[in-house]
Amino acid sequence: MAATKVVVALGGNALQRKGSPATAEAQLAVVKKTVEFIAEMSCIGYELAIVHGNGPQIGNLLIGAEAAAHLVPPMPFDVCIAMSQGYIGYHIQHSLRHALIKRGLNIPVVTIITQVVVDKHDTAFKTPTKPIGPFYTKEEAEQLRKEKGYEMREDANRGWRRVVASPVPQRIVELSCLRELWDTTIVITAGGGGIPVVEKEDGSFEGIAAVIDKDLVAGKLAENIGADILLILTEVDKVSLHYNLPNQQELACMTVHKAEKYITEGHFAPGSMLPKIQAATMFVKNNPEKKAIITSLYKSMDALKGQDGTTIKI
């Protein structure tokens, strides 16, 4: 019997804890705990690929670049995303390899610096929605808006964050490499949603300033690779209606029809839960025999068994 293929989308909270220092050491400590769950999935026999977010990390890289601009020329946005792919991928790669070896599994783990094609005319460039960097108070957000010209927006009643353009992913450039590696290797790919590039007339690519939503890319990857499950890991155990309000209602399962209805009713925050629901419904809609699961890292094993999380099916 063929192994179940799972594309795992790791949220930023699986890489950096809210309130903890943004040092490499602190982030590595979080990653070491995170990969224990991934290693357990591999132990059970799931075949895996990992896509990770980089919202807090890319924000911190940009803040550091701005602060040191008088000493070192700031790197372009796309280069900063590549940098975040490299160091986050490295943290996951060597931590997961160690966790697998502890379990007696000699499975290679590699990181692919991944480009994702977007449309330079995407309307997202006119309406930024993707949160990056730390949370701010309303007063701090207003000051950043005035001083730096940042677009600031409240993120699901949790605080204010900088938002940037988040165009729709069109194509994963390095997909053929992942297909070649799939049967033998756990691949960390499309980190931070991938490096956004536009395709030129001669077939080459050029980076563009944006952050692609990692959940949408994970859904596209799951479809392209023929995955059985799209597993989106985030801060909450289940998807909720009326999130963070007194009448919050957790959902154990959703049909695609129900999910689309809830989207129309505005239940999910743009740049936060909304793209997760969109990625899940799109994957299931295009692959009716497959399913998507949205849950927390800590409930991931139970969710794969159908005992927790929110499952999206036809």
Side-chain angles (χ1 to χ4, degrees):
M1 184 176 176
T4 301
K5 295 182 177 181
V6 182
V7 170
V8 181
L10 287 176
N13 64 304
L15 309 170
Q16 179 179 325
R17 290 284 180 270
K18 187 177 180 180
S20 67
T23 62
E25 293 80 9
Q27 291 180 57
L28 180 57
V30 174
V31 170
K32 284 181 177 178
K33 294 179 181 178
T34 293
V35 299
E36 293 293 325
F37 293 89
I38 308 298
E40 279 302 306
M41 293 177 199
S42 185
C43 228
I44 292 171
Y46 290 110
E47 291 184 354
L48 306 168
I50 300 168
V51 176
H52 63 79
N54 71 348
Q57 293 82 7
I58 191 68
N60 291 336
L61 283 173
L62 292 169
I63 290 169
E66 288 176 359
H70 63 293
L71 297 174
V72 181
M75 291 290 141
F77 208 106
D78 58 316
V79 174
C80 288
I81 293 173
M83 292 166 67
S84 75
Q85 280 192 3
Y87 94 77
I88 295 171
Y90 161 65
H91 276 175
I92 297 172
Q93 184 174 316
H94 90 258
S95 299
L96 179 55
R97 175 69 175 159
H98 178 67
L100 291 167
I101 288 172
K102 283 195 307 182
R103 290 164 171 80
L105 298 176
N106 186 26
I107 302 174
V109 184
V110 300
T111 301
I112 297 178
I113 302 301
T114 312
Q115 304 168 94
V116 176
V117 177
V118 300
D119 181 354
K120 65 180 178 181
H121 301 297
D122 193 306
T123 56
F125 289 105
K126 297 179 181 178
T127 311
T129 60
K130 182 63 181 172
I132 63 169
F135 287 89
Y136 298 97
T137 65
K138 186 175 181 179
E139 292 72 24
E140 290 170 332
E142 188 59 35
Q143 187 174 355
L144 285 168
R145 185 183 283 120
K146 289 178 180 177
E147 291 181 357
K148 298 184 178 293
Y150 290 169
E151 183 77 22
M152 307 294 293
R153 193 166 296 177
E154 192 173 19
D155 183 356
N157 300 313
R158 296 179 294 175
W160 292 72
R161 296 176 77 185
R162 181 184 177 187
V163 291
V164 297
S166 185
V168 175
Q170 304 287 323
R171 178 164 62 88
I172 300 168
V173 176
E174 287 77 19
L175 180 64
S176 61
C177 301
L178 176 59
R179 284 180 171 143
E180 288 288 330
L181 291 166
W182 184 275
D183 290 337
T184 60
T185 307
I186 296 175
V187 178
I188 303 154
T189 184
I195 303 163
V197 297
V198 293
E199 191 165 8
K200 300 167 75 174
E201 289 185 4
D202 63 0
S204 63
F205 301 102
E206 182 177 16
I208 193 166
V211 172
I212 306 169
D213 190 274
K214 65 101 175 40
D215 298 307
L216 295 179
V217 175
K220 182 167 284 292
L221 174 62
E223 183 172 350
N224 291 163
I225 209 70
D228 301 289
I229 300 172
L230 171 62
L231 178 62
I232 299 176
L233 302 180
T234 184
E235 289 184 302
V236 295
D237 296 342
K238 290 184 174 72
V239 176
S240 295
L241 305 181
H242 314 291
Y243 179 71
N244 239 3
L245 296 172
N247 59 337
Q248 178 172 321
Q249 176 188 348
E250 292 186 337
L251 304 171
C253 61
M254 275 190 294
T255 63
V256 167
H257 174 73
K258 279 284 189 183
E260 290 176 337
K261 177 177 178 287
Y262 295 146
I263 289 173
T264 303
E265 293 173 351
H267 282 285
F268 309 120
S272 183
M273 185 55 74
L274 178 59
K276 294 172 175 54
I277 302 296
Q278 290 172 327
T281 54
M282 195 177 305
F283 172 66
V284 174
K285 206 171 185 177
N286 293 338
N287 304 271
E289 72 285 7
K290 310 297 178 65
K291 66 181 177 181
I293 300 170
I294 301 174
T295 191
S296 67
L297 175 69
Y298 304 104
K299 298 293 185 179
S300 56
M301 297 303 295
D302 288 338
L304 285 168
K305 298 172 188 174
Q307 298 170 358
D308 215 315
T310 301
T311 300
I312 295 92
K313 293 183 177 180
I314 283 292

